[in-house]
Amino acid sequence: MDPTTDNAGYAGDPGRARASLEALRAEIAKAVVGQDPAVTGLVVALLCRGHVLLEGVPGVAKTLLVRALASALELDTKRVQFTPDLMPSDVTGSLVYDARTAEFSFQPGPVFTNLLLADEINRTPPKTQSSLLEAMEERQVTVDGTPRPLPEPFLVAATQNPVEYEGTYPLPEAQLDRFLLKLTIPLPSRQDEIDVLTRHAEGFNPRDLRAAGVRPVAGPADLEAARAAVAKTTVSPEITAYVVDICRATRESPSLTLGVSPRGATALLATARAWAWLTGRDYVIPDDVKALALPTLRHRVQLRPEAEMEGVTADSVINAILAHVPVPR
């Protein structure tokens, strides 16, 4: 199948688009073992035109996951290793003087791509972190007063290490709120780790995804058809109220100093709609909201220091809220 086929019958077929996106799991599994929730989260983010923060210890295939997704969707991808000396222009691009023409010309930075892997984003100072804010929110980069649109689709997949904080710059709340989802990448199970080592023993090269058999199974036309279908997914007033009640409960939790903003509530509704469509329904049910509550909300709340000292986590607070907020019938 050629995912780039551009005809009205194919590009407008949401059923075929859903089947293509579902095939991503099997295709990415050729390179990445046992990370189905993360793959699903990345697809949901693409459907919602959102961005993803991937958190996991080094060596759990965060970078490989993003590269495999880009390869299976036939999207352009670039990687930026964030370091303390990285400048904003190293991400967005800059004006370069051409001595031959005596004029300045714009040289695009790596942000001009479909899938930007911002590796270890918390290792660069806030000035460089903030260079991504306009790109993430407005999908454009302004240099010397001239706005330059980014390609479509555009997704930032940023990674950070949860256990090594020396020499890092924690992301401010305003930037965390720009990420649609925060996905935690766990260590593999024993059997998954055996499978990983077996593949490497058989000659698997993570730098050569073509040799691993990863092929494009979907493309931009599928994403457009899928997004159009997600936009038509029905949300009842009861589900809308349920989302609002969950988010308002975080603002009243004694364990939190910062609850979920209205932007977070909008994000939860959007991700629940995308998940409902991916699972084959054209309407949202409470279970869709529950399924996406943790990855959509965990980075939008802030724990009180005393609660953190007692071992309370953002996930445990959100789970407790989900257990107590009345579910619509």
Side-chain angles (χ1 to χ4, degrees):
M1 178 184 68
D2 181 2
T4 61
T5 300
D6 188 13
N7 60 72
Y10 171 66
D13 184 353
R16 192 164 177 179
R18 182 190 288 118
S20 297
L21 293 177
E22 287 175 349
L24 281 175
R25 287 193 184 93
E27 202 64 24
I28 294 174
K30 295 176 182 178
V32 182
V33 177
Q35 296 292 1
D36 277 358
V39 174
T40 301
L42 286 165
V43 173
V44 166
L46 280 167
L47 292 177
C48 298
R49 291 182 170 87
H51 309 284
V52 176
L53 182 62
L54 300 169
E55 187 173 89
V57 298
V60 291
K62 298 186 294 294
T63 301
L64 180 60
L65 175 63
V66 174
R67 288 180 54 241
L69 176 70
S71 181
L73 282 173
E74 206 168 46
L75 297 176
D76 181 47
T77 182
K78 290 185 174 69
R79 175 179 177 270
V80 179
Q81 181 66 51
F82 280 72
T83 56
D85 59 349
L86 195 74
M87 300 296 292
S89 59
D90 295 330
V91 178
T92 60
S94 59
L95 293 174
V96 177
Y97 182 72
D98 188 339
R100 292 174 298 178
T101 62
E103 294 180 349
F104 286 93
S105 62
F106 178 68
Q107 296 297 317
V111 75
F112 286 85
T113 186
N114 296 126
L115 197 52
L116 177 68
L117 176 60
D119 224 348
E120 295 188 292
I121 191 173
N122 57 335
R123 289 207 170 276
T124 201
K127 181 179 181 180
T128 304
Q129 290 177 4
S130 65
S131 67
L132 279 176
L133 283 177
E134 182 187 14
M136 294 170 68
E137 188 67 20
E138 306 297 334
R139 298 179 183 275
Q140 67 178 25
V141 168
T142 302
V143 177
D144 197 32
T146 303
R148 294 174 168 84
L150 295 171
E152 180 62 35
F154 173 69
L155 179 143
V156 174
T159 71
Q160 66 178 12
N161 182 347
V163 295
E164 190 178 357
Y165 294 106
E166 187 175 346
T168 62
Y169 303 84
L171 296 178
E173 281 69 28
Q175 185 155 10
L176 282 171
D177 205 34
R178 295 303 196 283
F179 286 100
L180 181 72
L181 300 171
K182 179 181 178 182
L183 304 175
T184 56
I185 311 297
L187 288 167
S189 66
R190 180 176 181 273
Q191 186 55 52
D192 284 345
E193 196 163 1
I194 290 174
D195 292 343
V196 170
L197 267 63
T198 301
R199 290 187 181 190
H200 280 268
E202 293 172 349
F204 171 70
N205 181 1
R207 295 172 184 81
D208 189 356
L209 294 179
R210 289 285 179 180
V214 179
R215 297 289 184 270
V217 294
D222 298 285
L223 284 176
E224 282 307 310
R227 287 170 173 177
V230 169
K232 296 176 183 176
T233 303
T234 303
V235 181
S236 68
E238 292 78 14
I239 293 294
T240 303
Y242 182 51
V243 170
V244 169
D245 289 344
I246 290 171
C247 294
R248 291 182 68 86
T250 65
R251 302 169 203 162
E252 299 166 2
S253 171
S255 299
L256 302 176
T257 58
L258 179 68
V260 176
S261 69
R263 180 186 300 173
T266 303
L268 180 55
L269 186 62
T271 56
R273 290 179 84 181
W275 175 243
W277 180 81
L278 276 173
T279 53
R281 278 178 282 101
D282 60 356
Y283 57 93
V284 181
I285 62 175
D287 283 349
D288 299 325
V289 178
K290 290 182 177 181
L292 272 298
L294 284 180
T296 309
L297 304 181
R298 59 164 59 110
H299 57 297
R300 304 176 194 270
V301 299
Q302 193 173 74
L303 289 167
R304 292 188 181 278
E306 55 269 28
E308 203 165 1
M309 290 177 63
E310 293 173 1
V312 176
T313 64
D315 284 13
S316 65
V317 172
I318 294 170
N319 278 326
I321 288 171
L322 291 174
H324 284 91
V325 172
V327 179
R329 296 186 180 277

